[in-house]
């Protein structure tokens, strides 16, 4: 009877691990999505910066804030876009880091699950003999 | 049979089940469709951009335009566009800039370039994916056709690559480094072709050498005759070139050596003849192998069974990569080179191949 207890124990462990793995994979997918969004934004901001740099000093620049266009100083707009690019780059870097972390975790989880499965199989084989 | 054949025959479908390959191909197709949608939307942007450029270029032609101004979703009222050379252009991220028509067009042109680069990259990606998909499809088709994978071992001292054929592992094959242990008519012919090529090259080399020497030391011909002969004889022993070929070559190209050559020719003629007889015997035997596999011979098994088995998939294990990716079987009527076995020594370090075949036949 002890073996069946151990078997159940193992099965429960396997289930919890599988659940964890699923969660991790979901997180990774989410991370990918966010990263994609940020990459697109980064590209857009870079375009804006390029255009802003091409404008002359006296050009009128507006920013759409809610429903209204607010006139902005060119230098200010430039600085703002730069800041935003920096921010997005930092965010992307951060996301990369977490992604790597998560992938490592995922791999270790997968290995753990594999081990448990092997143990279960071994147990079953032992039972079959007995 | 199993322990004599030096390879394994696995049906491709056992490695890559047809359904699996199809599934993979379908997944790739899905990705392609997704990319295609992306590409379509970008192409749409490109068209829009072109239209916009057109419009913006035309607007300042007039001082004002009479237009119908949209009002809500359904209603319009007549209006008039003035200030036709002032544009408020969205740069992205909520930033707008006041530009003239010309400047606006410049912005659009820059945007067009960006879009074009995106289109290019997308197209390249799709090309890759298509190649992948066609590969999967081909694999699926081959697997369902019952294509067989034939693996033949390249035997070296490393026996790490244990092919699933258990009998293979216990053979006491001579495994001195660099030895070719070839099996089957495919290898033999390949080998023969290789060797005959070697021979050709060697002959050319020899010709070049001799002509060079002739040019250099024209005067001391008499002394050199002897030298050439000695040299050639060495060459002869080394490479065991076909005697007739050698003779032809020399008589046509190097009259100077003719005398010595003929003397030596007599001396060596007999051995050469013997050699030739031997060789033809061997090649004859080989022909027999190919046409009618007897239980004794080593010619590999499965070649005649599936009509499709002419291609060989390179296995994943790198250790087996001594073969080129695919082997094409040739029909047996390739002209056999009678001097093929004799030429084996020209590759110096490699022990001669016929020996290994004999060994094979002993077993």
């Amino acid at each position: 009877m002890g073996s069946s207890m151990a078997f159940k124990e193992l099965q429960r462990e396997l289930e919890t691990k599988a659940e964890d793995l699923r969660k991790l994979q979901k997180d990774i997918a989410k991370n990918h999505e966010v990263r994609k969004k940020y990459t697109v934004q980064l590209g857009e901001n870079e375009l804006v910066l390029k255009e802003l740099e091409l404008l002359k000093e006296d050009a009128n620049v507006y920013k759409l804030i809610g429903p209204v266009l607010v006139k902005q100083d060119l230098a200010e707009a430039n600085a703002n876009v730069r800041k935003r690019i920096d921010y997005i780059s930092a965010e992307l870097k951060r996301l990369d880091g977490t992604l790597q972390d998560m992938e490592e975790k995922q791999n270790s989880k997968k290995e753990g699950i594999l081990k448990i499965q092997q143990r279960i199989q071994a147990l079953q084989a032992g039972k079959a003999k007995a | 049979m199993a322990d004599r054949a030096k390879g394994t025959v696995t049906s491709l479908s056992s490695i890559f089940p047809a359904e699996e390959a199809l599934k993979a191909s379908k997944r790739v197709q899905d990705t392609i469709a997704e990319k295609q949608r992306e590409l379509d939307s970008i192409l749409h942007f490109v068209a829009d951009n072109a239209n916009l450029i057109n419009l913006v270029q035309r607007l300042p032609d007039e001082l004002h335009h009479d237009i119908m101004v949209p009002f809500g979703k359904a209603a319009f009222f007549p209006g008039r566009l003035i200030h036709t050379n002032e544009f408020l252009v969205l740069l992205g991220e909520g930033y707008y800039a006041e530009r003239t028509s010309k400047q606006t067009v410049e912005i659009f042109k820059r945007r067009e370039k960006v879009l074009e680069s995106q289109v290019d990259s997308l197209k390249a990606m799709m090309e890759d994916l298509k190649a992948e998909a066609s590969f999967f499809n081909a694999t699926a088709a081959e697997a369902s056709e019952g294509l067989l994978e034939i693996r033949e071992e390249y035997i070296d001292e490393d026996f790490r690559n244990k092919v699933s054929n258990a009998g293979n592992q216990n053979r006491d094959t001579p495994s001195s480094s660099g030895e070719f242990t070839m099996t089957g008519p495919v290898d033999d012919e390949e080998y023969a072709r290789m060797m005959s090529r070697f021979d050709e090259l060697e002959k050319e080399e020899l010709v070049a050498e001799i002509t060079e020497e002739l040019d250099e030391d024209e005067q001391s011909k008499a002394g050199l005759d002897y030298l050439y002969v000695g040299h050639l004889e060495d060459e002869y022993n080394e490479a065991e070139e076909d005697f007739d070929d050698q003779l032809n070559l020399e008589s046509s190209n190097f009259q100077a050596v003719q005398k010595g050559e003929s003397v030596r020719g007599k001396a060596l003629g007999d051995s050469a003849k013997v050699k030739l007889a031997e060789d033809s015997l061997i090649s004859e035997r080989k022909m027999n192998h190919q046409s009618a596999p007897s239980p004794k011979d080593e010619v590999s098994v499965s070649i005649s069974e599936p009509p499709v088995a002419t291609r060989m998939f390179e296995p994943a294990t790198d250790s087996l990569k001594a073969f080129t990716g695919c082997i094409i079987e040739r029909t047996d009527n390739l002209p056999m080179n009678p001097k093929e076995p004799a030429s084996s020594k020209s590759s110096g370090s490699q022990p001669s191949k016929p020996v290994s075949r004999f060994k094979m036949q002993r077993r």
Side-chain angles (χ1 to χ4, degrees):
Chain A
M1 281 310 104
S3 76
S4 85
M5 280 283 281
F7 184 69
K8 267 185 189 153
E9 189 81 6
L10 275 176
Q11 209 142 34
R12 204 173 303 135
E13 211 175 318
L14 182 66
E15 271 166 30
T16 52
K17 288 227 170 176
E19 188 58 38
D20 284 352
L21 182 65
R22 224 169 297 144
K23 259 187 208 149
L24 261 176
Q25 277 171 339
K26 223 173 169 181
D27 282 350
I28 287 175
K30 217 191 257 168
N31 189 313
H32 271 299
E33 246 167 67
V34 176
R35 250 170 62 96
K36 211 169 166 184
K37 222 164 66 191
Y38 273 121
T39 334
V40 171
Q41 277 196 8
L42 185 66
E44 190 176 336
N45 273 285
E46 269 164 4
L47 270 179
V48 173
L49 187 66
K50 227 163 49 188
E51 292 298 338
L52 283 178
E53 273 170 359
L54 284 165
L55 293 179
K56 286 219 178 75
E57 290 293 315
D58 56 347
N60 289 329
V61 178
Y62 304 86
K63 173 133 177 85
L64 188 69
I65 300 176
V68 286
L69 281 174
V70 181
K71 187 162 181 198
Q72 274 201 323
D73 199 40
L74 179 59
E76 198 186 318
N78 223 325
N80 278 345
V81 175
R82 267 177 217 278
K83 227 187 283 167
R84 212 168 144 64
I85 288 179
D86 284 348
Y87 167 70
I88 292 174
S89 311
E91 194 69 3
L92 272 176
K93 213 172 267 172
R94 194 180 65 80
L95 282 174
D96 269 348
T98 53
L99 184 69
Q100 215 161 23
D101 251 32
M102 283 200 280
E103 265 168 2
E104 265 165 33
K105 260 193 223 159
Q106 182 189 328
N107 284 343
S108 69
K109 277 259 154 54
K110 269 184 188 161
E111 263 169 41
I113 285 179
L114 214 71
K115 264 181 206 151
I116 291 179
Q117 274 173 339
Q118 277 167 354
R119 268 163 65 191
I120 287 180
Q121 263 169 12
L123 224 74
Q124 274 174 334
K127 240 192 223 165
K129 258 182 220 160
Chain B
M1 205 68 163
D3 58 308
R4 226 180 289 125
K6 295 205 173 194
T8 56
V9 179
T10 342
S11 85
L12 195 65
S13 52
S14 71
I15 307 171
F16 308 111
E19 317 89 76
E20 291 296 319
L22 277 178
K23 236 187 258 172
S25 137
K26 194 163 177 304
R27 237 195 347 252
V28 178
Q29 295 283 8
D30 286 348
T31 328
I32 290 178
E34 203 177 291
K35 293 278 173 211
Q36 183 64 51
R37 273 198 294 280
E38 242 173 87
L39 183 65
D40 285 348
S41 76
I42 288 182
L43 285 176
H44 190 70
F45 289 151
V46 172
D48 272 4
N49 204 36
N51 281 339
L52 209 53
I53 288 175
N54 217 345
L55 181 67
V56 168
Q57 268 173 338
R58 269 191 303 110
L59 277 177
D61 292 351
E62 302 281 338
L63 208 57
H64 59 81
H65 296 268
D66 290 326
I67 53 159
M68 296 298 283
V69 183
F71 190 74
K73 265 182 188 167
F76 291 87
F77 62 86
R80 164 180 282 197
L81 266 184
I82 54 169
H83 298 299
T84 54
N85 202 18
E86 287 170 30
F87 295 88
L88 204 58
V89 187
L90 174 63
L91 301 178
E93 281 294 301
Y95 285 98
Y96 290 79
E98 252 177 12
R99 313 302 288 149
T100 66
S101 160
K102 225 179 191 173
Q103 291 163 328
T104 307
V105 170
E106 275 166 21
I107 291 175
F108 287 156
K109 289 255 165 81
R110 283 195 286 274
R111 232 171 254 181
E112 201 180 11
K113 253 177 219 147
V114 174
L115 284 174
E116 267 168 15
S117 74
Q118 279 179 5
V119 168
D120 285 350
S121 73
L122 263 179
K123 273 185 181 159
M125 251 192 251
M126 280 175 67
E127 282 300 309
D128 283 357
L129 283 172
K130 269 178 194 160
E132 210 175 304
S134 73
F135 169 73
F136 279 131
N137 274 336
T139 310
E142 281 161 358
S144 59
E145 265 171 19
L147 188 90
L148 298 182
E149 172 182 312
I150 305 176
R151 272 190 205 187
E152 286 177 358
E153 269 179 278
Y154 167 71
I155 292 172
D156 227 55
E157 56 262 276
D158 87 329
F159 274 83
R160 282 168 293 141
N161 24 341
K162 294 209 165 61
V163 192
S164 52
N165 195 343
N168 272 354
Q169 286 152 22
N170 302 337
R171 278 168 310 156
D172 53 340
T173 325
S175 57
S176 62
S177 68
E179 171 166 12
F180 282 104
T181 314
M182 297 289 198
T183 355
V186 175
D187 303 331
D188 280 348
E189 277 168 36
E190 198 72 30
Y191 189 87
R193 283 193 317 122
M194 233 159 69
M195 276 325 183
S196 62
R197 178 75 187 133
F198 275 146
D199 282 356
E200 266 172 47
L201 289 174
E202 228 159 88
K203 234 178 275 172
E204 275 171 30
E205 222 169 90
L206 192 62
V207 169
E209 229 169 83
I210 290 170
T211 28
E212 205 177 321
E213 277 174 38
L214 274 178
D215 288 349
E216 276 172 12
D217 318 290
E218 195 77 43
Q219 316 94 303
S220 54
K221 208 186 288 169
L224 273 177
D225 273 358
Y226 181 66
L227 217 152
Y228 289 152
V229 172
H231 172 73
L232 284 171
E233 228 150 2
D234 283 350
E235 180 70 27
Y236 214 90
N237 293 336
E238 250 173 45
E240 288 178 322
E241 297 263 38
D242 179 41
F243 175 65
D244 288 332
D245 278 9
Q246 186 83 4
L247 197 59
N248 283 345
L249 191 118
E250 277 162 7
S251 59
S252 58
N253 289 342
F254 318 107
Q255 242 89 49
V257 214
Q258 188 67 48
K259 225 194 315 175
E261 164 63 25
S262 62
V263 171
R264 181 196 48 134
K266 255 171 222 152
L268 278 173
D270 290 342
S271 64
K273 253 175 233 157
V274 170
K275 198 81 206 160
L276 278 173
E278 244 175 49
D279 297 347
S280 59
L281 200 93
I282 286 164
S283 54
E284 207 175 276
R285 198 180 303 154
K286 201 157 44 189
M287 292 293 236
N288 284 343
H289 289 185
Q290 286 165 8
S291 53
S294 66
K296 244 179 87 185
D297 69 37
E298 292 305 310
V299 178
S300 81
V301 225
S302 54
I303 284 126
S304 51
E305 340 172 339
V308 265
T310 48
R311 280 182 56 194
M312 196 160 116
F313 260 80
E314 193 54 31
T317 26
D318 276 345
S319 46
L320 292 178
K321 275 218 168 118
F323 281 125
T324 55
C326 71
I327 287 181
I328 296 160
E329 277 174 31
R330 289 170 191 83
T331 42
D332 296 347
N333 54 12
L334 252 191
M336 291 309 271
N337 196 341
K339 61 178 175 165
E340 170 238 319
S343 61
S344 56
K345 269 199 194 153
S346 58
S347 53
S349 65
Q350 292 164 357
S352 70
K353 170 173 142 282
V355 172
S356 69
R357 182 162 51 230
F358 289 141
K359 271 184 189 158
M360 277 148 44
Q361 272 163 352
R362 257 190 286 135
R363 265 181 289 120

